[in-house]
Amino acid sequence: MTAKLDSVQLTRDILRLNTINPPGDEEACARQLGGILEAAGFRIRYHSFGPTRVNLLADIGTQSSKAPLCFTGHIDVVPLGAAPWKKDPFAGETDAGKLFGRGSSDMKSGVAAFTVAAVRMAPYLANTAGLTLVITAGEETGCEGAFHLQKDGVLGRAGAVVVAEPTSNYPFVGHKGAFWLRAKTKGVTAHGSMPEKGDNAIYKAARAVEKLEAFRFSNPPHGLMGQATLNVGTIQGGLNINSVPDQATIGIDIRTVPTVNHAELLKTLTQQLGSEVELETLMDLESVYTDPREPWMHSVFEVMTSILGSRPTARVATYFTDAAALNRAYSDPPTVILGPGEPQMAHQTDEYCVIERIDQAVAAYEALIRGWCLD
Ligand SMILES: [Zn+2]
């Protein structure tokens, strides 16, 4: 049965399982994939971090001093959005070479493709470096599942990582980091008719926002990613118009490049904003980057040159991925983002993937497994 596993059919099968996050509900999908991999000889571990929130770890081989090759993908999907869909988001309908559904591009086609490649290669991997598949829940709400795996210390080793997020099968060598902070200011409330009796937290927040707008990164820009960015996305404060506000908060979205160290950046911002501002970290995902000249990344480009029919140039993804969380446990192995979905279809109404790219991804993944385990 497993030898005949079809990547397009498997994509449709797991599309039909609603894993919209929130709430996620990834368990049925994780167990379906776990059953397929177990039948093919993989060691399976389910790792849950809440009711029906289940990550799946699957290993084969890993009997060598060389660490295994890791494939990773998430099985949760984003909500459908307010606009009506012309296609049923959970039926796996096909039309004119496209497969429609929530998660078709982001990223159940990618998970299906590496599952099929892993099952097909399984009979040859017994005494090799092997594979470790990390299938996560809760990615869309800030890499929750991946962070639980990392914190619980259950990930083991990986010598290189393939993230099957949508890239139209184009190899991306990295992505920016996301460093989300909340700045808080405090004051003393008083009646709005006697502001001199209070201490206005919004004025402090306003001074902080001005400093944040004027902030310039001192690190050198990165060759492919350019400079880091900072955006003030939210501001809240005050209870009513006739009181002096005693609290205000600012939401700061920083996208970092490999030349930025998050801990140092936090120190710098804390100093520049001064003692009237308190900073709290909401999300801390470092950037991911592998030099295209790194030997394994070079081999990925060789494989993709023959599969795509022309030599890819080094590009980076606009989104962040679970690799930022997983690579803390794996101590930053070379990492490529490479998957069959269409990046511009992620999170869209009437999301689709191009059917022929799914088998193209299977071929690419099989070649990468051969290169890692058998050459
Ligand atoms: Zn995704």
Side-chain angles (χ1 to χ4, degrees), residues 77 145 181 202 259 311 323 359:
V77 299
L181 305 174
I202 288 181
T259 47
R311 186 157 194 90
D359 274 335

Side-chain angles (χ1 to χ4, degrees), residues 22-338:
D25 246 344
E26 297 91 342
E27 180 161 15
C29 188
R31 292 203 180 266
Q32 176 152 352
L33 293 165
I36 291 166
L37 288 161
E38 193 161 29
F42 282 77
R43 287 178 301 279
I44 300 300
R45 282 174 294 158
Y46 295 103
H47 173 270
S48 56
F49 58 94
T52 74
R53 309 306 304 278
V54 177
N55 295 307
L56 167 63
L57 300 172
D59 298 285
I60 197 161
T62 70
Q63 302 301 309
S64 154
S65 57
K66 182 178 176 182
L69 176 62
C70 171
F71 286 88
T72 186
H74 63 85
I75 49 174
D76 62 320
V77 299
V78 292
L80 300 179
W85 284 52
K86 292 192 194 76
K87 308 279 181 187
D88 184 332
F90 300 108
E93 287 176 58
T94 57
D95 186 12
K98 295 168 180 168
L99 170 58
F100 289 85
R102 178 51 92 217
S104 52
S105 266
D106 186 13
M107 56 174 288
K108 285 176 171 170
S109 56
V111 172
F114 73 64
T115 300
V116 169
V119 166
R120 286 191 190 157
M121 294 302 293
Y124 312 104
L125 300 180
N127 293 307
T128 70
L131 303 178
T132 182
L133 309 186
V134 180
I135 296 173
T136 62
E139 189 270 353
E140 295 287 6
T141 43
C143 306
E144 276 181 277
F147 271 122
H148 281 284
L149 289 167
Q150 181 245 325
K151 283 185 193 130
D152 291 349
V154 293
L155 283 166
R157 300 188 298 161
V161 177
V162 180
V163 186
E165 289 275 7
T167 70
S168 311
N169 289 336
Y170 203 93
F172 289 168
V173 296
H175 57 75
K176 282 186 174 179
F179 195 28
W180 292 357
L181 305 174
R182 182 189 287 139
K184 255 190 203 169
T185 59
K186 286 188 178 136
V188 178
T189 192
H191 195 280
S193 65
M194 295 173 284
E196 71 283 358
K197 298 228 156 94
D199 180 18
N200 192 316
I202 288 181
Y203 294 158
K204 294 177 188 176
R207 287 194 285 275
V209 168
E210 278 194 354
K211 285 181 192 165
L212 289 166
E213 189 184 3
F215 183 78
R216 294 292 171 264
F217 291 90
S218 57
N219 56 285
H222 183 263
L224 274 176
M225 296 186 200
Q227 187 51 284
T229 59
L230 182 154
N231 181 58
V232 173
T234 62
I235 182 160
Q236 277 126 12
L239 284 173
N240 49 29
I241 194 167
N242 54 344
S243 296
V244 176
D246 61 355
Q247 192 169 301
T249 57
I250 304 159
I252 309 164
D253 177 0
I254 305 169
R255 302 301 170 108
T256 59
V257 298
T259 47
V260 175
N261 175 302
H262 286 195
E264 279 172 27
L265 175 61
L266 183 60
K267 222 186 271 175
T268 306
L269 284 170
T270 304
Q271 272 164 11
Q272 295 200 6
L273 293 175
S275 58
E276 59 185 22
V277 178
E278 211 178 282
L279 282 174
E280 180 195 348
T281 300
L282 302 179
M283 188 162 68
D284 183 359
L285 285 171
E286 298 266 359
S287 58
V288 169
Y289 177 69
T290 304
D291 191 309
R293 291 163 299 185
E294 187 280 333
W296 179 73
M297 187 62 91
H298 183 76
S299 76
V300 174
F301 275 66
E302 292 295 311
V303 164
M304 295 320 294
T305 299
S306 63
I307 285 180
L308 299 172
S310 63
R311 186 157 194 90
T313 53
R315 290 185 197 162
V316 291
T318 53
Y319 47 76
F320 57 79
T321 74
D322 273 340
L326 300 176
N327 284 358
R328 288 187 188 175
Y330 294 147
S331 43
D332 285 319
T335 300
V336 71
I337 300 125
L338 171 66

